Amino acid sequence: MSRTIRLTVNGQPHQLEVEDNDLLLNVLRERLDLTGAKYGCGIGECGACTIIMNGKAVLSCLTLAVLADRSEITTVEGLGDYRNLHPLQQAFLEEGAVQCGFCTPGMLVSAKALLDENPNPSEEEIRQYLRGNLCRCTGYTSIVRAVQKTLKPAAKESHPKI
Amino acid sequence: MKDRVIGQSVPKYDAGPKASGLLQYADDFTLPGMLYGKVFRAKVQAAILLGVRTERAEQLPGVHAVITAKDVPNNNLRARFGQSTDVGGQFEGLYRVLAEKEVRYYGEPIALVAAESPDLAEQACQLIEVDLQPLPGVFDSVGAMEPGSRQVGEKPNNIASHFKIRQGDVDQGFAQADVIVEGTYRVPYQDHAYLEPESGLAWSDDDGTINIRVSSQVIEHFREVAEILNLPHSKVRYLGTWIGGGFGRKEDITVESYLALLAWKTRKPVKLTYTRAESLLYHCKRHPFQMEYKTGATKDGKLVALQARLISDCGAYSALSPWVLLYATVNAAGPYQIPNVKVDSYAVMTNTAITSAFRGFGAPQANFAYESQIQKLAHILGLDPLEFRERNYLQTGEAFATGWIYERPIPLTELAQKAWSGLGPLGSAEGGRKLGRGVAIGMGSYGRLTFLHDTSRSYIKLELDGSAIIRCGVPDVGGGQGHILCQIVAQELGVPLERIKLHITDSQLTPLAGTTTATRQLMMSGNATLKAANELKKRLLIKAGQLLNVPIENLIITLNRIEVESSRKEGVSLVEVINRLSGEGEELFVEAQFNAPFTDIPASEVLQGQTHPDFTFGAYAAEVEVDEQTGQVQINKIVAAFDVGKALNPAIVEGQIEGGCIQGVGYALFEDMAIHNGVIQTPSFAEYLIPTAVDVPDITVILLESGSGVGPYGAKGIGEPPMVGIAPALVNAIEDAVGVRIADLPVTPEKIRMAIAQKPEGKR
């Protein structure tokens, strides 16, 4: 069965006909041409499909599109583009936190959700929050460093390891 | 121009597009009217394949093609190693596109489907029926070599290849030894577990050319795909995408032969992306090895003899197993001066998953064994493990076990000491856990085997406005393989990085640069690009010298300008020089080729002399806390020290070391691929655990720059070498903490707990 959903994605309102069993990841990628969120495992284990829905980090591969009705969604494309990068994106570039880049969109979105919830996380809190986002290239050191780089100076001082 | 761009951690070319979500990976591409491909696979390990019935699948509405072996123009290829050198039967194997007459492993592809939706393709697969007569499976690689064992494939005694090292006389060597240690080491399968599953999209052109957009480390596979289709090489074109992680698995053909067949048959675009389960269950793995070692030393701490027997399980088709085995054999004695060495190594076929290339390519396996032996000898001799190593490191001008006399620096003493002292003051363990520290060294080659006569080509064009275009068929797996070419051009030609456009991996329109494997691209494409840049530079300087009336030796290239070195105000813009030359009919473009050092093809299975262009040396030190009650290991700190020759972009170099280190941590401690009778039991990341952000510590990286590499500016390769050394360093640290030494990776809590329980009373 199909239904109509209305949602706002990266500030743009959309109205779509979707099937009951359509996954949000596929709707974003195939219907809205937002291919930033990735298919990495399809069962919520790798985090490459992470988006922000109504302020919370969500795995779009496990979310039915119908559940996104009347929701507000941010994907990596909504953080910033290469002419106008978000501070997190800029920090990822500067710290060499982007290698193959396939985990990067989900990782950035998770980091954004973390900082929205907790503007001054410790290294341990950053690692705990990002544990659901797998990266096979970096070993996480540069990713954690990049997130720390965007924190306010006061927070940096309280974590001298930075 | 003095180190303005080279040596700087500038963000890489592809980082911005990746971080903004705009860079398109293989699965992000679509075409109108596209079909979806699916592979139908065997659900049995070994059988005679009597027949395949596809009629019901073909009749399903929306299904456009079902292909079996009989439809494949050339289903059985003699597999070679990327390029064209004929190196003899020892290195060859069978590449079979679809199962034919027999099934050799669980998951072997039997048929291909193209349908209008992924669901339809899946449904069609369920309608395919096979007639099979099961055969007894051969699952144990050691047993498979025994006489009377059933032959799995085309190789007698199931031995796909056999190599030897013969140096001195090991019997005499052991007779001189005061201490001899023996050990059997087992290292497991490892999955590449990149985040991007195998994916591609193929279509047929108006003239019948097959185009394949695919995530591949080797765009030169267009030749094999053309042979499968019986087409001229010129009628198959690869458009490689930026790769979402490769680590060696995207070196062999993945989906592209299937895609090509389906696009050729249907004349429609076809996409095929593996599910994570397909990727984990059916793609090639790192070779498990059983390694029997015997190492002897005198009581004053000199190594005198090493004997090893290495057996690798290469699965049902040999793929790159002979090559991995050769690397393991060359690495078997490590970077130590040992006068008497005897190594015999075997790659053995079984009815299990295929094993092939994975970062390190045989070196991490051998390293775990030789470093474990060194540690055991140091303990028995009562010597500090670092000091014992220092008495035995190979020195410049001495020969490896293969007899190759090595003339470059081997700074292992400095690297190991720096790594060790980098751990800093001893921490304190929490909650009654035991603290321990360990160190280990390693070496890893870069560049392909020298007898393969490796080459790479790169093209640079300077535009009239002083911007630049690079065309180079270099696949980029995320290690900066493409980006670094931009840094070289910016350095040599004064073009700002943001004004350089890079084209990679079009097998027909970018000059072929060879495989992104073997840690070869910086050395190969980097040197080819540097050579092209230097040719252009010479032409620019000659013209500028004429314009400024200054000898070219006095000129330097700076950002957008050519200047007189002694009087920097005197100069001319690059744009003016380019336009003057253009006005005289001289366009500024060069395609250059770099040739690696060449040697002869080995005359026999006894490996002798130089096999690789060079090695990269490194050391790891680690501090761990071990819970004696549970066997749980927490890593507090890791320090890595590598001689990278020259760090052209330190952030990228450090990223390679950090990432390789953590992949090695997974190999050593976590990644436990369960295989039962040849069937993989770990189909997801819930069963096959790779390290997460909370499992690993910050890594401290120490770079040594000896300037002695074969790469541009004296750089060495650093992609694979960081996989080497971390596993023995962690095992040494665990032994230091709780007094048990594990010889089988991964070192799971169960193994530690069991070993502690079996420890003789009173022994630490």
Side-chain angles (χ1 to χ4, degrees), chain A residues 1 5 17 22 29 32 69 107-108 114-115 128 137 160:
Chain A
M1 211 178 93
I5 59 167
E17 287 287 307
D22 276 346
R29 289 176 55 81
L32 300 181
D69 190 21
M107 196 70 82
L108 279 164
L114 163 66
L115 298 183
Q128 282 294 344
C137 298

Side-chain angles (χ1 to χ4, degrees), chain B residues 123-145:
Chain B
Q123 278 178 43
C125 283
Q126 285 166 11
L127 297 173
I128 296 173
E129 293 157 292
V130 285
D131 295 328
L132 294 164
Q133 183 184 317
L135 292 169
V138 175
F139 304 123
D140 166 36
S141 56
V142 179
M145 297 165 69

Side-chain angles (χ1 to χ4, degrees), chain B residues 225-244:
Chain B
V225 173
E227 282 164 31
I228 290 165
L229 293 173
N230 245 341
L231 289 174
H233 287 188
S234 58
K235 295 283 185 168
V236 174
R237 177 185 179 196
Y238 266 48
L239 295 140
T241 56
W242 295 81
I243 299 163

Side-chain angles (χ1 to χ4, degrees), chain A residues 29 35-36 38-41 45 76 82 89 93 98-102 108 127-128 131 134 136-141, chain B residues 12 18-19 25 27-28 191-193 195 244-245 275-276 478 655-656 659 671 684-686 691-694 696 698-699:
Chain A
R29 289 176 55 81
T35 54
K38 302 296 182 206
Y39 167 87
C41 72
E45 289 163 356
V76 69
Y82 55 88
Q89 291 169 318
L93 262 61
V98 182
Q99 286 194 29
C100 90
F102 205 78
L108 279 164
R127 286 183 177 273
Q128 282 294 344
R131 70 183 302 173
L134 297 178
R136 191 58 157 169
C137 298
T138 64
Y140 305 101
T141 294
Chain B
K12 60 183 182 147
K18 284 174 175 173
Y25 295 85
D27 188 54
D28 299 336
D191 193 278
H192 306 72
L195 268 287
T275 63
R276 176 56 58 183
Q656 287 302 303
E671 296 179 32
S684 83
F685 288 143
T692 73
V694 293
V696 297
D698 251 2
I699 299 149

Side-chain angles (χ1 to χ4, degrees), chain A residues 52-130:
Chain A
I52 295 174
M53 187 160 103
N54 299 328
K56 291 261 181 259
V58 161
L59 296 165
S60 64
C61 80
L62 292 184
T63 306
L64 291 171
V66 291
L67 294 176
D69 190 21
R70 282 170 298 200
S71 72
E72 194 151 323
I73 286 172
T74 304
T75 68
V76 69
E77 291 94 337
L79 297 188
D81 65 27
Y82 55 88
R83 282 178 223 87
N84 184 25
L85 291 174
H86 185 278
L88 272 168
Q89 291 169 318
Q90 188 63 36
F92 268 57
L93 262 61
E94 288 167 5
E95 293 300 322
V98 182
Q99 286 194 29
C100 90
F102 205 78
C103 76
T104 306
M107 196 70 82
L108 279 164
V109 168
S110 282
K112 168 80 164 57
L114 163 66
L115 298 183
D116 289 347
E117 283 175 32
N118 175 2
N120 284 315
S122 65
E123 178 182 341
E124 183 56 27
E125 286 169 330
I126 295 170
R127 286 183 177 273
Q128 282 294 344
Y129 202 93
L130 298 180

Side-chain angles (χ1 to χ4, degrees), chain B residues 146-228:
Chain B
E146 300 299 325
S149 191
R150 195 177 67 77
Q151 194 169 318
V152 170
E154 65 281 10
K155 304 280 186 178
N157 300 319
N158 291 319
I159 297 173
S161 53
H162 175 203
F163 294 107
K164 299 175 182 173
I165 288 181
R166 297 287 183 266
Q167 194 64 243
D169 180 335
V170 280
D171 294 332
Q172 267 185 23
F174 286 118
Q176 293 162 24
D178 297 304
V179 180
I180 294 171
V181 297
E182 295 188 57
T184 297
Y185 303 91
R186 289 182 185 84
V187 287
Y189 288 92
Q190 187 181 22
D191 193 278
H192 306 72
Y194 32 61
L195 268 287
E196 180 201 38
E198 297 81 342
S199 179
L201 170 61
W203 67 96
S204 174
D205 261 359
D206 43 12
D207 69 357
T209 301
I210 301 294
N211 293 267
I212 313 171
R213 205 182 273 288
V214 63
S215 178
S216 169
Q217 293 175 239
V218 182
I219 61 170
E220 286 79 0
H221 283 315
F222 73 85
R223 298 186 180 116
E224 276 100 58
V225 173
E227 282 164 31
I228 290 165

